[in-house]
């Protein structure tokens, strides 16, 4: 008798899973589908978390050459404190600058967004291209704010990201790490509105990230309408072709999600807001062919059912699992009419 590996049974089961909440324009409007899909996605992620006092604490403010740096912390859930650093540009694209939420992936913390090397080996990361998101924002006249996501950096991510135990424990309680990261972004926006509306245009809040930061960008923008545009990078593929059949950190997994959605549906919750999706042609963990498959489905949502069908763009970099700043920013500024 031939013995098969159980993993192949699970791969086959995932491959044969047909999402039940694919948007069907002949049956309902986009808005009606988004309302229903948003509630299901929140349920799968374990949201909402319980609101609490933000306990905002501004730790310091200092002057830099091109910007003012402000470090602060806030409480997103009871006992869950989030460190954040903001750069306010001295030369802005508008009277009050928009602000970009910058989310790093599986690295050693938010300092990477500011082009800072803190730990041995970071400067030699072969797949770390163009991850200095805050520097890019300032160069484009946009404010930047970065947080350490759960299990990264100051929140349990040194000397390396530490997601496994936390993510598995969350599943036991009907929660997910992705849901927690989305909640932190939502509460960060509360802080921006409460504490920084005099210096920021809080009607123009954006989000960007690569890899694990790109995943958080997708989910947060899908569920938080106060995010007006997004640049998720190297996080878009079919669930089967990426998260399902190759090794990924436990923080990427949401129980049962493939029964309802694939990534095109998650991104479809963002429509018609401007969305620049970035992929790498040689990305080994979010393969380009699966990204192109999902993007063709996503374009159907944008083109056939939105007032602004041109608001969805797919950028394809020539290398691997990294960000591609020049083409991504060119597309983003064109969509938002920034020069």
């Amino acid at each position: 008798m031939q013995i098969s590996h159980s993993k192949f049974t699970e791969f086959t089961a995932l491959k044969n899973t047909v999402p039940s909440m694919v948007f069907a324009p002949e049956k309902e409007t986009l808005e009606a589908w988004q309302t229903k899909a948003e509630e299901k996605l929140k349920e799968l992620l374990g949201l909402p978390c319980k609101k609490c006092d933000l306990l905002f604490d501004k730790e310091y403010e200092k002057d830099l050459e091109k910007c003012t740096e402000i470090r602060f912390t806030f409480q997103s859930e009871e006992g869950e404190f989030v460190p954040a650093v903001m750069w306010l540009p001295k030369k802005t694209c508008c009277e009050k600058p928009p602000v970009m939420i910058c989310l790093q992936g599986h690295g050693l913390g938010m300092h990477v967004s500011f082009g800072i090397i803190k730990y041995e080996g970071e400067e030699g990361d072969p797949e770390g291209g163009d991850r200095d998101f805050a520097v890019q924002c300032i160069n484009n006249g946009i404010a930047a704010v970065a947080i350490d996501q759960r299990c990264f950096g100051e929140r349990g991510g040194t000397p390396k990201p530490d997601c496994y135990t936390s993510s598995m424990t969350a599943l036991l309680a009907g929660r997910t790490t992705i849901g927690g990261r989305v909640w932190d972004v939502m509460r960060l926006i509360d802080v921006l509105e409460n504490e920084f509306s005099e210096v920021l245009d809080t009607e123009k809040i954006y989000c960007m990230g690569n890899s694990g930061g790109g995943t958080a960008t997708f989910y947060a923008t899908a569920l938080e309408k106060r995010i007006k545009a997004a640049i998720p990078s190297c996080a878009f593929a079919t669930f089967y072709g990426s998260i399902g059949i190759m090794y990924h950190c436990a923080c990427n997994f949401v129980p049962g999600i493939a029964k309802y959605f694939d990534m095109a549906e998650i991104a479809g919750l963002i429509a018609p807001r401007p969305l620049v999706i970035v992929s790498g042609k040689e990305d080994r963990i979010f393969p380009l062919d699966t990204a192109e498959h999902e993007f063709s489905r996503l374009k159907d949502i944008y083109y056939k059912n939105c007032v602004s069908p041109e608001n969805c763009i797919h950028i394809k970099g020539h290398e691997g699992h990294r960000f591609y700043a020049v083409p991504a920013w060119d597309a983003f500024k064109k969509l938002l009419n920034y020069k």
Side-chain angles (χ1 to χ4, degrees), residues 149-160:
Q149 296 197 79
R150 299 187 187 210
C151 309
F152 299 161
E154 297 175 37
R155 300 175 75 189
T158 54
K160 62 182 181 179

Side-chain angles (χ1 to χ4, degrees), residues 132 170 226-227 268 285 287:
D132 56 346
R226 290 178 293 178
I227 300 175
I285 59 175

Side-chain angles (χ1 to χ4, degrees), residues 2 27 45 53 106 111 141 167 187 189-190 195 212 218 225 229 250 254 260 272 275 296 304 311 324 339:
Q2 184 177 5
K27 296 181 179 180
L45 294 181
D53 192 320
H106 279 73
H111 61 277
S167 296
R187 297 298 277 156
I189 294 175
D190 291 340
E195 305 293 339
F218 265 121
K225 291 181 173 58
V254 178
Y260 303 97
L275 177 63
S296 68
K304 293 181 180 179
N311 274 357
Y324 299 88
K339 297 182 180 180

Side-chain angles (χ1 to χ4, degrees), residues 35-53:
T35 298
K36 180 175 64 178
E38 179 180 327
E39 289 307 307
K40 174 53 69 174
L41 184 57
K42 286 180 179 178
E43 176 188 328
L44 294 170
L45 294 181
L47 292 173
C49 300
K50 186 177 180 180
K51 277 198 172 184
C52 61
D53 192 320

Side-chain angles (χ1 to χ4, degrees), residues 115-137:
I116 296 171
I117 296 172
K118 289 179 66 174
Y119 303 103
E120 183 179 356
E122 285 188 308
E123 68 277 10
D125 182 357
E127 296 182 332
D130 290 348
R131 291 189 299 155
D132 56 346
F133 303 141
V135 176
Q136 298 164 29
C137 290

Side-chain angles (χ1 to χ4, degrees), residues 184-330:
D184 291 344
V185 170
M186 291 176 166
R187 297 298 277 156
L188 171 63
I189 294 175
D190 291 340
V191 171
L192 297 178
E193 292 179 337
N194 293 344
E195 305 293 339
F196 296 102
S197 59
E198 291 187 2
V199 294
L200 296 173
D201 186 346
T202 53
E203 293 298 316
K204 295 178 180 178
I205 296 173
Y206 313 134
C207 193
M208 70 185 298
N210 187 71
S211 191
T215 298
T217 296
F218 265 121
Y219 282 93
T221 309
L223 295 176
E224 178 53 84
K225 291 181 173 58
R226 290 178 293 178
I227 300 175
K228 297 303 195 297
I231 317 175
S233 172
C234 291
F236 186 68
T238 61
F239 284 131
Y240 174 76
S242 177
I243 304 297
I245 64 171
M246 59 189 71
Y247 178 80
H248 281 266
C249 178
C251 66
N252 285 283
F253 292 84
V254 178
I257 194 167
K259 294 194 299 181
Y260 303 97
F261 309 111
D262 212 325
M263 276 302 298
E265 282 69 51
I266 308 300
L269 288 172
I270 299 171
R273 288 168 286 166
L275 177 63
V276 178
I277 295 173
V278 180
S279 298
K281 291 182 179 179
E282 303 300 324
D283 191 340
R284 298 185 300 275
I285 59 175
F286 289 92
L288 181 62
D289 60 339
T290 68
E292 290 177 328
H293 177 274
E294 286 303 278
F295 189 75
S296 68
R297 299 180 59 239
L298 177 61
K299 289 296 284 186
D300 279 346
I301 297 176
Y302 268 82
Y303 263 85
K304 293 181 180 179
N305 309 288
C306 287
V307 294
S308 301
E310 71 284 355
N311 274 357
C312 187
I313 296 175
H314 192 190
I315 298 297
K316 304 168 190 178
H318 289 289
E319 299 178 23
H321 190 70
R322 50 160 291 181
F323 188 56
Y324 299 88
V326 173
W329 277 100
D330 285 348

